[in-house]
Amino acid sequence: MKEKNRIKLICVIITASTSVASAFVGGKKEHITINNNIKSATSDVNNVDDLIKKYENAMESNSKLAEQNKNLKEENDNLQSDISDSITAEVKSPSIIVDGMKSSQNWNKSIAIVNNSNYYSENLLNSLVEGKFSYDISQNSLFYNEEDQMINKVTKINALSTNVIYEGIGYDVVKSSDGKEILMGSQSYTEGLVVWDDESLFGGGNGYALFDLQGKYSKLEFDVGRTNEYEKENVELKVYLDGECREIYQLDAETPPKHFEVTLNYANSMKLEISGGTRVKYGFVNMILYY
């Protein structure tokens, strides 16, 4: 492209010079004029590369400007999208109607409507549920207490939400995401621990589950009962803490699940063992560890 433009410019300059030369042929004056025009044409030819370079620079600048305009358009579109997705909030001072009767108490600015979702003030909630809510900004935690006491820290945890159960024989951990059920009496449970005692020819004998407590917990609560499968047999539940048998409970096969509390005293390990049956399963549900 560059060479083609250069040739065109040379041809234009030569043509112009030839025309001037033809008009003055016949004398000294004409000879000087021709020489001057040739010199001018030669100078113009030498400047062709500069002209082409300026042209190409201009085209490159135009290309960059077009790219900048494209980027600016994209940024503008994104800003418009962000504006359309921005948060809208409104604070309300509602009337409170309790069992059909309007409360005389003033609830100024107690409800915030943020993006069509309602948010209630702590004072309003506490007035309705008798002071059972408490928000701790340092922990970014909302505490709800069913008792009169105000607990403002985490004191217990669902054992099955941890990894404390790590090994054993004749046991199974059932979680709600598994889609399984533990049937005990008339109740069905979607999560829990199942331990079985199988003394049959191909059974594993006494079943047990091992817990890695890491000295974190003071107490364990659970409900335990025979599952609705295998034989109806009474068994013994033995609780080992740090390798020593600390508790032995007698479990009745014909009663609904029974509630137990085991003092852990911040032991590092625990073993729950079922023994005394020939082919029976027991389920442990509502397992709560206390710090």
Side-chain angles (χ1 to χ4, degrees):
M1 178 65 184
K2 180 177 178 180
E3 185 62 26
K4 185 177 180 181
N5 291 334
R6 187 173 187 277
I7 293 172
K8 285 183 178 181
L9 286 172
I10 293 172
C11 291
V12 170
I13 294 169
I14 292 175
T15 300
S17 300
T18 304
S19 298
V20 173
S22 299
F24 293 95
V25 173
K28 183 177 180 181
K29 180 179 179 181
E30 291 80 356
H31 177 71
I32 294 172
T33 302
I34 292 172
N35 285 338
N36 290 337
N37 282 304
I38 291 174
K39 289 180 180 179
S40 177
T42 302
S43 176
D44 289 340
V45 169
N46 291 333
N47 291 330
V48 168
D49 286 341
D50 291 337
L51 292 172
I52 292 176
K53 185 175 181 180
K54 290 179 180 179
Y55 170 78
E56 290 178 342
N57 288 340
M59 293 300 293
E60 184 178 355
S61 296
N62 287 338
S63 178
K64 289 180 178 179
L65 287 173
E67 182 66 23
Q68 290 176 359
N69 286 335
K70 179 181 176 182
N71 293 336
L72 287 172
K73 184 179 183 304
E74 290 179 354
E75 291 179 9
N76 182 64
D77 291 342
N78 291 334
L79 286 173
Q80 292 295 329
S81 177
D82 291 341
I83 291 172
S84 65
D85 294 337
S86 62
I87 295 175
T88 60
E90 186 178 5
V91 178
K92 294 288 189 178
S93 301
S95 298
I96 304 299
I97 314 300
V98 180
D99 294 332
M101 182 177 291
K102 183 177 179 179
S103 172
S104 60
Q105 190 170 352
N106 182 23
W107 295 107
N108 188 38
K109 297 181 180 179
S110 57
I111 294 180
I113 304 173
V114 182
N115 286 356
N116 297 321
S117 294
N118 297 337
Y119 297 85
Y120 305 92
S121 71
E122 183 177 333
N123 290 336
L124 174 60
L125 291 175
N126 279 331
S127 70
L128 299 176
V129 295
E130 300 177 353
K132 295 179 179 179
F133 281 99
S134 175
Y135 176 70
D136 188 328
I137 191 172
S138 64
Q139 303 180 64
N140 190 28
S141 299
L142 178 65
F143 296 94
Y144 174 74
N145 297 280
E146 294 183 351
E147 307 294 336
D148 292 335
Q149 57 185 345
M150 288 302 295
I151 301 174
N152 60 359
K153 63 180 180 179
V154 177
T155 59
K156 54 189 174 182
I157 188 170
N158 183 347
L160 296 182
S161 69
T162 70
N163 295 319
V164 294
I165 305 174
Y166 70 97
E167 201 173 81
I169 291 178
Y171 83 104
D172 185 26
V173 175
V174 177
K175 295 190 176 182
S176 55
S177 58
D178 296 337
K180 300 179 183 178
E181 289 184 327
I182 302 173
L183 300 176
M184 295 189 294
S186 62
Q187 300 297 314
S188 174
Y189 304 88
T190 58
E191 66 175 17
L193 168 68
V194 178
V195 181
W196 55 88
D197 182 12
D198 190 350
E199 302 294 340
S200 63
L201 180 61
F202 298 103
N206 296 345
Y208 61 84
L210 301 178
F211 294 69
D212 182 9
L213 302 176
Q214 299 181 4
K216 293 181 179 180
Y217 308 103
S218 63
K219 181 176 67 173
L220 170 67
E221 287 188 357
F222 57 86
D223 299 323
V224 59
R226 183 187 61 82
T227 65
N228 299 350
E229 53 186 326
Y230 291 176
E231 307 297 333
K232 294 183 179 66
E233 296 178 334
N234 300 336
V235 297
E236 282 186 345
L237 169 61
K238 295 180 180 179
V239 180
Y240 295 83
L241 297 177
D242 291 333
E244 296 184 10
C245 182
R246 298 295 180 86
E247 301 287 349
I248 299 178
Y249 301 101
Q250 303 298 323
L251 303 182
D252 190 339
E254 296 183 354
T255 61
K258 187 177 179 181
H259 185 74
F260 288 92
E261 292 186 7
V262 177
T263 301
L264 301 177
N265 285 328
Y266 301 99
N268 291 309
S269 66
M270 180 177 68
K271 175 182 177 182
L272 296 181
E273 182 182 55
I274 294 292
S275 63
T278 57
R279 193 166 182 268
V280 65
K281 283 186 177 183
Y282 277 76
F284 298 76
V285 296
N286 302 324
M287 303 183 72
I288 304 298
L289 287 164
Y290 286 78
Y291 291 105

